[in-house]
Structure formats: structure tokens, C-alpha cells
Amino acid sequence: MRCVILFVFLLLSCTAVLLSCTAVLLKHNKDGSNNVSATNIGLNYGLLGDNLPSPANVISLYKSIGITKIRIFDPNTEVLNALRSHQDIGVTVGIKDQDLAALAASEDAVKHWFATNIEPYLADVNITFITVGNEVIPGEIGPQVLPVMRSLTNLVKSRNLQILISTVVAMSNLGKSYPPSVGKFTPQACEQLVPVLKFLSLTNTPILVNIYPYFAYASNPLNISLDYATFNTKDVVVKDGPMQYSNLFDAIFDAFVWAMEKEGVKRISMVVSETGWPSAGNGYLTTPDIAARYNGNFIKHVESGKGTPKRPNCSIEGFLFATFNENQKPEGTEQNFGLYNPTDMKPIYKLF
């Protein structure tokens, strides 16, 4: 999420004109809790809080609401141990950014990392993805991503393991994004990201992308319609040649697709590793009602299976951010993206 501000400034310069494939079932329990049964919807499980429930209780929560995919940001042993024998939950495990330098320098270091952090759980934890870095491309340590991905890919292939190796990127890689068809990567993204994308194309592995319409809207609410930002209108807001957009998420998603195609990468799939809306922290722009509207409509969008104008009828796979409000994040909206209060595990709002 930390790279979204750069993208916001880019998007603001282009959005002044905005004045004018599996099923998901969402239902509510009688006690008001959220019940999401979805093969294409997952949850991010962050741990930056000092009042979070135990991992065992969190796993029980996931099972009670039908979540079958989660993403953790590092190979936390307590969380992974709690996931033992819950192989109906697929887990995306991240590598810490600060570990990349040592891993990029040595294949033996990669083997040791895998033996320490993944190997002990292979028998009874369903690890589906390993992500190499979180929003480090483009950036100073961006060049370290591809060597680690190569080493890990070779390792899992040599073991015949069905674990996909990828990385997570933000929309700050886009130098142009409006209209979506002019989507183009920045020079630094071309240098660091495009080789990664071409490698993923060879391994038939998705790129993971973080997409936050909230940040664009919050930076210019006068010129970006809230309904457009929260999937709450069927009216066409942006016409891009034959393609018509009624929500900002699709426009951002497709701008990234267009940027990939301009670099010769045409068949790589995209998993939305993070999306969400804070329920507090920025006044009237961040209320539980608006957060519920965005997240609920995102789930419905996934449920529809219609994809985006650029990739129609291609089901979107995504992870909502996040499970809990995390009080050790920076004050403001960063602490308020959670669906649940950590102290009592009650929903902050009902999804619909």
C-alpha cells in the first residue's frame, strides 16, 4: 500500500474529466457477522497490532465465514502452525523485504530460507503462493526480486511442488493510466518490472497487484465520483474507444493490462493481492457505510464473473485488505482497513 501515493498524483493529473471466472455467495448471519463463501475472494491477514486475537481463533473465524484463501506478509511460525491440518485454506506467504538482498546474492541462502520457513509446513499446510517482496518494484531493492524468484522457482520445480512464485506490485509502476488504453509503465518499471513479467509469462504464473480506488478518490473527491469509485453506478463514466467504464477499479486494472501488452506481455493473469476501503481516519470520506459499499460491491463484481472491459468474461481473483484494524500501523486510515475489531472479533460493518 505504501506506493499508492505516487500513483494518486499520476491519476489526479488524468481524472479531471471524471466530473460528469467462479461464483461467490455473500450472506449475513443472524448475529450480524459476515459470511463469505468464495473461491475467488481471500483476506489479507496482517499482524501489525498488539491486541490481535490468537492465530487459532483467526483461523476459526475464517472457517466460520467460508474464507478459503488468505495472505500473510511473512512466514510467521505461529500463524503457519495454526494452519496445520486446515488444508482447505490456501495460503500466500510473503518474503520480508529486508531478506531479499541476502537471498538474491546466494542460491544457498534461498534453499536455507525455504528449508526453514516453508519445508516444515509442506505436509499439512496448503501453501499456494510465495511472494518475493511487497511493492518493492520500482525501487532501490527492486532488482533483487527476479533473482530470488528464479531461485525459488527452480527449487519448487525440482521438488515437484505446486507452489507458485511471484511478487506484489503497486500501481506506482504506471507512468500513464488515463484513459486505460494509454496505460504505460514508468522507465524504472520498464527496467525492473518488465523482466519479472516476462519471467512470469514463461512460468504461467500471475502477477499480484494492489489496487486501491480509495486513494485516488480521497485525493480528489470533487472530481472523482464516489459512486464511480465504489462500484455504485451502472452509468458509463469513462469511454475509451469501444470500452466503457462504470467503475474506477476496472479502469485501473485495465491500465495495467494495457501497459503489460505494450511491453509484449499479453497473456499473464493478474491476482488482486490487496483492495479495500478504510472505515475511519479521513473524516466523511471514510465511514463504515462507504467501506461496506466498496468491499461488498467488489465481492459482487467478482461474483459476476464478467471481468473488466479489457478482459471480459475473465473472472477476477482478489484479496480484501484486511482482516483486522491494526493499531501498530501509522495513525489515520492505515489503522482502519479491517473488516473486524481485533479485541472482540466482531464485524465493523456488514457486507452486502
Side-chain angles (χ1 to χ4, degrees):
M1 189 190 304
R2 58 183 177 271
C3 293
V4 296
I5 301 302
L6 292 174
F7 172 66
V8 165
F9 288 121
L10 164 68
L11 192 60
L12 289 179
S13 66
C14 302
T15 53
V17 297
L18 295 182
L19 289 167
S20 47
C21 285
T22 49
V24 178
L25 177 64
L26 177 68
K27 52 189 177 181
H28 303 306
N29 290 342
K30 292 180 180 179
D31 63 0
S33 63
N34 302 329
N35 189 309
V36 182
S37 178
T39 56
N40 271 16
I41 292 291
L43 288 182
N44 283 271
Y45 181 7
L47 296 170
L48 295 179
D50 60 12
N51 58 352
L52 298 173
S54 71
N57 286 338
V58 176
I59 303 308
S60 295
L61 170 66
Y62 290 145
K63 295 177 80 72
S64 74
I65 61 176
I67 288 295
T68 59
K69 297 188 306 185
I70 66 170
R71 174 182 171 226
I72 57 177
F73 294 82
D74 61 79
N76 181 279
T77 55
E78 191 176 359
V79 172
L80 289 169
N81 280 323
L83 284 161
R84 291 187 186 276
S85 301
H86 296 295
Q87 292 180 305
D88 53 332
I89 298 178
V91 187
T92 296
V93 179
I95 297 177
K96 294 178 180 179
D97 298 346
Q98 58 264 38
D99 292 342
L100 293 183
L103 297 177
S106 167
E107 286 194 13
D108 286 340
V110 171
K111 292 177 182 177
H112 178 74
W113 181 93
F114 189 90
T116 302
N117 296 290
I118 302 298
E119 181 84 33
Y121 308 100
L122 290 177
D124 52 3
V125 177
N126 182 16
I127 298 173
T128 56
F129 271 91
I130 297 173
T131 55
V132 180
N134 183 37
E135 296 187 344
V136 299
I137 295 175
E140 183 178 351
I141 64 174
Q144 297 168 0
V145 171
L146 186 54
V148 180
M149 287 177 57
R150 286 197 179 111
S151 295
L152 277 172
T153 299
N154 291 337
L155 179 58
V156 298
K157 282 188 175 181
S158 71
R159 300 278 303 274
N160 293 316
L161 298 172
Q162 302 301 309
I163 300 176
L164 299 176
I165 310 299
S166 190
T167 189
V168 176
V169 298
M171 294 301 104
S172 55
N173 283 280
L174 290 172
K176 294 181 180 179
S177 63
Y178 182 84
S181 62
V182 306
K184 184 177 177 61
F185 292 132
T186 66
Q188 192 176 29
C190 288
E191 179 183 345
Q192 297 182 7
L193 178 59
V194 171
V196 168
L197 293 172
K198 291 184 176 180
F199 177 75
L200 292 173
S201 182
L202 291 174
T203 62
N204 195 28
T205 303
I207 182 71
L208 279 70
V209 295
N210 294 345
I211 298 179
Y212 284 98
Y214 161 74
F215 288 103
Y217 170 74
S219 296
N220 195 7
L222 294 179
N223 290 333
I224 299 177
S225 160
L226 178 61
D227 285 342
Y228 180 63
T230 58
F231 302 92
N232 208 44
T233 180
K234 297 185 183 301
D235 295 338
V236 174
V237 178
V238 171
K239 291 183 179 180
D240 186 8
M243 299 182 190
Q244 299 181 338
Y245 291 88
S246 60
N247 70 79
L248 182 55
F249 174 92
D250 282 356
I252 297 172
F253 188 103
D254 281 358
F256 198 92
V257 174
W258 279 106
M260 289 195 296
E261 291 191 357
K262 287 182 176 67
E263 299 300 328
V265 182
K266 296 187 177 181
R267 288 183 168 82
I268 187 172
S269 58
M270 290 164 55
V271 171
V272 180
S273 40
E274 294 179 26
T275 194
W277 199 285
S279 61
N282 192 15
Y284 70 94
L285 305 181
T286 53
T287 69
D289 285 345
I290 298 175
R293 187 184 315 156
Y294 176 83
N295 286 329
N297 286 339
F298 173 74
I299 292 173
K300 291 176 183 178
H301 190 52
V302 170
E303 177 187 13
S304 74
K306 67 181 182 181
T308 68
K310 175 66 173 166
R311 288 185 170 178
N313 304 314
C314 183
S315 183
I316 296 170
E317 179 180 353
F319 292 77
L320 288 174
F321 188 89
T323 304
F324 299 106
N325 284 342
E326 299 170 60
N327 65 2
Q328 292 180 328
K329 287 196 162 192
E331 291 186 6
T333 57
E334 292 284 337
Q335 294 187 357
N336 291 285
F337 274 86
L339 303 181
Y340 293 89
N341 284 305
T343 53
D344 58 12
M345 298 180 64
K346 291 183 178 179
I348 295 168
Y349 48 80
K350 293 181 180 180
L351 290 179
F352 56 89

